[in-house]
Amino acid sequence: MKKFSISILFLFITYYSYSQKKEPVKVTDMLKIKSINGINLSSDGSKAVFTITAIEPDGDSKWESKYVNQVWLVNTDGNSEPRQLTTKESSSQPAWSPDGKQIAFIRSVDGKPQIFLLSLDGGEAVQLTKFRYGAGTPKWSPDGKQILFSSNISLKDLLKDSVLNPGYDIPE
């Protein structure tokens, strides 16, 4: 996997450097920089999913911008171009299902990260979690029937949550 991620990074840097004119770097050039993160190989090694982070305009002002992450797919044989899988809102942390037919990923809903499932057979991503504290870093069980995820909960919220803390006790 390390060799693959280095190859992708090298190709990206090479493409970016050759596509630039020989002019001084401007502040607006920063908006053209994209980075690759979270490379995840399929179980058979034939495909990889990853996120590309880009800077996009935010609102009507030319001075406001935001970071946006999208999930992409590429065949590892190098014979095809990468294909963007997500377009709505920021998406990150892609994880292959064991059978290679679905990808779990994170997208924000009402300000909280939630897990979505995307079938590689086509169609829209489906929201899997609606956890009030958010859900991140999805990991599939070996049989593909369950997904483990992490969540951040503040001590204040934990002390008030009767489901996660029925005795309203302070953790030891």
Side-chain angles (χ1 to χ4, degrees):
M1 174 153 150
K2 188 174 183 180
K3 182 180 177 185
F4 178 75
S5 63
I6 291 170
S7 298
I8 291 286
L9 181 60
F10 177 75
L11 288 173
F12 178 76
I13 291 169
T14 303
Y15 171 78
Y16 185 77
S17 62
Y18 281 113
S19 66
Q20 299 301 305
K21 296 176 183 170
K22 304 296 182 202
E23 298 176 11
V25 175
K26 300 176 196 141
V27 173
T28 54
D29 291 337
M30 299 301 290
L31 300 175
K32 299 175 186 174
I33 295 174
K34 297 180 180 184
S35 61
I36 297 172
N37 300 296
I39 298 171
N40 194 336
L41 288 174
S42 61
S43 59
D44 65 1
S46 67
K47 295 180 180 75
V49 288
F50 55 94
T51 58
I52 291 186
T53 303
I55 302 171
E56 294 182 357
D58 188 15
D60 295 330
S61 170
K62 69 178 182 176
W63 302 108
E64 298 295 322
S65 57
K66 62 183 177 182
Y67 288 97
V68 177
N69 299 306
Q70 297 301 341
V71 177
W72 289 67
L73 172 73
V74 67
N75 291 328
T76 56
D77 62 10
N79 291 328
S80 61
E81 293 291 319
R83 180 170 55 110
Q84 187 172 349
L85 296 179
T86 61
T87 57
K88 298 178 182 178
E89 297 89 26
S90 262
S91 303
S92 62
Q93 303 176 16
W96 286 98
S97 63
D99 64 5
K101 293 181 180 179
Q102 296 183 89
I103 296 171
F105 67 93
I106 304 303
R107 179 181 285 160
S108 184
V109 177
D110 298 327
K112 300 284 184 186
Q114 300 295 342
I115 298 173
F116 283 73
L117 294 179
L118 180 63
S119 171
L120 293 181
D121 290 334
E124 290 291 320
V126 176
Q127 186 175 347
L128 179 66
T129 62
K130 294 181 182 176
F131 194 54
R132 67 192 258 185
Y133 302 111
T137 51
K139 302 291 181 207
W140 291 83
S141 64
D143 64 4
K145 293 181 180 180
Q146 298 177 13
I147 296 179
L148 175 72
F149 64 87
S150 64
S151 185
N152 293 323
I153 179 171
S154 69
L155 179 59
K156 179 181 172 183
D157 288 336
L158 180 63
L159 293 174
K160 292 189 236 177
D161 193 303
S162 63
V163 175
L164 297 177
N165 186 8
Y168 301 101
D169 298 322
I170 295 176
E172 294 181 20

